[in-house]
Amino acid sequence: MNVTFINPFLQSLLNVVSTMANMQLTPGKPRLKTDNLAKGDVSGLIGMVGPQTKGSLSITFEQGLILEIMQNMLGENPGNINEEVTDLVGEITNMVTGGAKNLLSDKGYEFEMATPVVVSGIGHKISHQAQGKKIIMPFVSPKGSAYIEICFEDQ
């Protein structure tokens, strides 16, 4: 998979979480993912289609981390994943994808974004629409982990 497509999404997640929630995430080591099982408790999934490629992105948060992000962004913490939390995950997914879209357009890559879908629950599945390799990148913090999955069709 082309690293040109991956790095803008990683940069954008770090930027959104640091500016909107005043939190730092530490990137881990990316690897190929072979199953559809989510690594956390709530995931936002968004599709992207453009002239050069088709793909999708998911961002999965462990409950402790997304509740801390919500506390820092909105000043509220419901104590568990509810509709307000899933709405926030959808918004974060939009912001991260939008930020990556801007970075990629500077490199000549254009794509349209779909509306994010949010899924939650222990052991939920993430179904990428693109037929390509899936890269998963963990991000850690004292409050929990987040995971970005990126899947683009082979070019």
Side-chain angles (χ1 to χ4, degrees), residues 13-26:
L13 176 64
L14 293 172
N15 183 46
V16 166
V17 172
S18 68
T19 57
M20 302 298 287
N22 198 27
M23 294 177 68
Q24 301 304 313
L25 297 177
T26 304

Side-chain angles (χ1 to χ4, degrees), residues 121-137:
I122 304 287
H124 68 273
K125 294 191 186 305
I126 299 169
S127 298
H128 291 277
Q129 300 306 312
Q131 302 301 314
K133 291 184 173 76
K134 291 181 285 196
I135 301 289
I136 185 168
M137 174 86 169

Side-chain angles (χ1 to χ4, degrees), residues 13-153:
L13 176 64
L14 293 172
N15 183 46
V16 166
V17 172
S18 68
T19 57
M20 302 298 287
N22 198 27
M23 294 177 68
Q24 301 304 313
L25 297 177
T26 304
K29 185 175 174 156
R31 61 179 173 79
L32 282 176
K33 186 173 183 225
T34 56
D35 62 21
N36 289 335
L37 197 62
K39 302 286 185 219
D41 302 305
V42 59
S43 300
L45 176 67
I46 191 165
M48 299 164 283
V49 178
Q52 297 100 334
T53 190
K54 172 183 167 187
S56 59
L57 161 91
S58 71
I59 307 172
T60 302
F61 296 92
E62 291 178 347
Q63 179 172 291
L65 177 57
I66 194 59
L67 292 177
E68 184 72 10
I69 289 170
M70 186 172 197
Q71 178 67 48
N72 290 359
M73 285 178 74
L74 306 175
E76 49 189 82
N77 181 339
N80 57 25
I81 294 171
N82 64 11
E83 189 176 332
E84 292 172 323
V85 175
T86 59
D87 287 349
L88 178 62
V89 170
E91 284 304 313
I92 291 171
T93 304
N94 254 338
M95 287 188 273
V96 169
T97 308
K101 181 178 178 174
N102 289 340
L103 292 169
L104 284 167
S105 76
D106 293 343
K107 296 178 177 166
Y109 296 101
E110 300 293 332
F111 60 84
E112 297 301 316
M113 298 166 25
T115 302
V117 174
V118 179
V119 185
S120 65
I122 304 287
H124 68 273
K125 294 191 186 305
I126 299 169
S127 298
H128 291 277
Q129 300 306 312
Q131 302 301 314
K133 291 184 173 76
K134 291 181 285 196
I135 301 289
I136 185 168
M137 174 86 169
F139 293 83
V140 296
S141 81
K143 295 293 183 175
S145 297
Y147 303 87
I148 279 189
E149 290 182 28
I150 302 170
C151 180
F152 279 104
E153 292 199 349

